[in-house]
C-alpha cells in the first residue's frame, strides 16, 4: 500500500474507475449475448431490435473511453454481419 497521500488517492480513484469500466463491459457483453441468442433462434425482428440496442450501448462505452473506437466498430460490424445473414 502507498504511503504518500496522492498515491493513496490514485489507488482509490483507480479502483473506482476499474469498477465502472468492468460494469460497462459486462453490460456490453450482455447485449451482445441478446443479439447472438436472437440470431441463433433465427428471429429477424428480435435480432434487429437487439442489434439496435447493442449498437447504442457499444457506442456509449466507446464514448466513455472504455473501448477503443476500432474495437467498438469491430464489435458492431460482427453483430451486423451476423444479423444480415438472416435475411
Amino acid at each position: 500500500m502507498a504511503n504518500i497521500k496522492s498515491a493513496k488517492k490514485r489507488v482509490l480513484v483507480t479502483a473506482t474507475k476499474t469498477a465502472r469500466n468492468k460494469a460497462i463491459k459486462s453490460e456490453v457483453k450482455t447485449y451482445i449475448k441478446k443479439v447472438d441468442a436472437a440470431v441463433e433462434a433465427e428471429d429477424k425482428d428480435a435480432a434487429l431490435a437487439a442489434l439496435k440496442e447493442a449498437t447504442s450501448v457499444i457506442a456509449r462505452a466507446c464514448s466513455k473511453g472504455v473501448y477503443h473506437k476500432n474495437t467498438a466498430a469491430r464489435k458492431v460490424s460482427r453483430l451486423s454481419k451476423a444479423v444480415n445473414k438472416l435475411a
Side-chain angles (χ1 to χ4, degrees):
M1 185 68 185
N3 290 321
I4 299 169
K5 187 175 182 180
S6 61
K8 289 180 181 177
K9 181 180 178 185
R10 293 310 316 159
V11 169
L12 294 175
V13 169
T14 301
T16 303
K17 288 184 175 184
T18 301
R20 177 176 154 269
N21 290 345
K22 194 172 186 180
I24 292 171
K25 284 185 180 187
S26 176
E27 183 184 22
V28 168
K29 289 177 190 174
T30 301
Y31 279 91
I32 289 173
K33 287 177 190 172
K34 288 180 183 179
V35 174
D36 290 339
V39 169
E40 284 290 318
E42 297 185 8
D43 186 357
K44 182 143 172 107
D45 293 333
L48 286 171
L51 175 65
K52 186 175 180 183
E53 291 177 5
T55 303
S56 174
V57 172
I58 292 169
R60 200 174 322 122
C62 180
S63 72
K64 299 292 183 190
V66 177
Y67 285 118
H68 188 272
K69 65 176 184 164
N70 292 354
T71 303
R74 184 181 68 240
K75 287 181 183 295
V76 170
S77 175
R78 287 179 179 169
L79 291 175
S80 299
K81 186 177 177 182
V83 171
N84 289 336
K85 279 186 179 178
L86 290 178

